[in-house]
Amino acid sequence: MAILETIVIAFWAMLPAYVPNNAAVLAGGGRPIDGGRTWGDKRMLGDGKTWRGTAAGITAGLVLAGLLTVLAPGVSDATGMKVPEFAPLAALGLAGGAMLGDILASFLKRRTGRQRGAMFPGLDQLDFVVVSLPLTALLAPEWFFNVFTWAVVAVVVILTPILHVTTNMIAYKLGLKNEPW
Ligand code: CTP
Ligand code: K
Ligand code: MG
């Protein structure tokens, strides 16, 4: 099944970009990146973007990429399918880009007058994709264009919001997150 294969590859390839947000929620706290600074009458990023959360997020993404690379099964006899191993720069692009996208989204939220934790539909679900994919293409072009075919990108754009909404709802119910988005 070509479509199933595309979904598996998309999910696997995006895991190092998915996990940083969740790790940041678990580890977040402490000094905000903007150091409390404002621009005009609004915070630059807000208290929801911390050094600790960001460092934990990037670390979690890199560690996961390493684990997946070690665990990656060879080519499947049945389907000819092969999930990607992660080049170090690809892992950095995915994990770092995810955190950078989230930070840029908070910057946009503050500029548009949204308080910390406010919802910004669309941006909330795709901010990390919009930055992690181009950054990975820049840092590890050969790896990126080999793995992220148009079909994989299309699956990522559809799959990511669904996964994002689901995991954030679970994190909210578990009391780990203040809002269900
Ligand atoms: N977090 C963090 N550092 C980050 C990202 C997230 O410490 N770089 C932690 C914060 O405790 C944050 C929580 O994870 O409150 C939830 O993340 P997110 O929903 O992205 O932040 P919000 O609090 O909603 O803030 P914003 O409105 O700026 O998105
Ligand atoms: K966010
Ligand atoms: Mg939020």
Side-chain angles (χ1 to χ4, degrees), residues 49 109 117-118 124 177 179 181:
K49 303 297 115 142
K109 289 187 199 176
D124 276 328
K177 216 173 176 299
E179 306 88 17
W181 49 79

Side-chain angles (χ1 to χ4, degrees), residues 149-171:
T149 60
W150 284 111
V152 170
V153 172
V155 167
V156 166
V157 169
I158 295 166
L159 183 72
T160 302
I162 298 171
L163 285 171
H164 192 270
V165 168
T166 315
T167 51
N168 283 339
M169 184 60 79
I170 293 171

Side-chain angles (χ1 to χ4, degrees), residues 65-115:
L67 274 177
L68 292 175
T69 297
V70 172
L71 295 175
V75 178
S76 153
D77 286 339
T79 61
M81 182 168 113
K82 171 93 178 80
V83 289
E85 295 170 17
F86 294 90
L89 281 177
L92 188 65
L94 290 166
M99 286 284 85
L100 187 60
D102 183 52
I103 289 167
L104 290 175
S106 289
F107 176 77
L108 282 179
K109 289 187 199 176
R110 299 302 91 83
R111 284 302 98 200
T112 53
R114 290 172 168 82
Q115 298 296 323

Side-chain angles (χ1 to χ4, degrees), residues 43-56:
R43 281 287 291 274
M44 290 182 72
L45 300 175
D47 287 331
K49 303 297 115 142
T50 67
W51 289 111
R52 197 167 79 207
T54 307

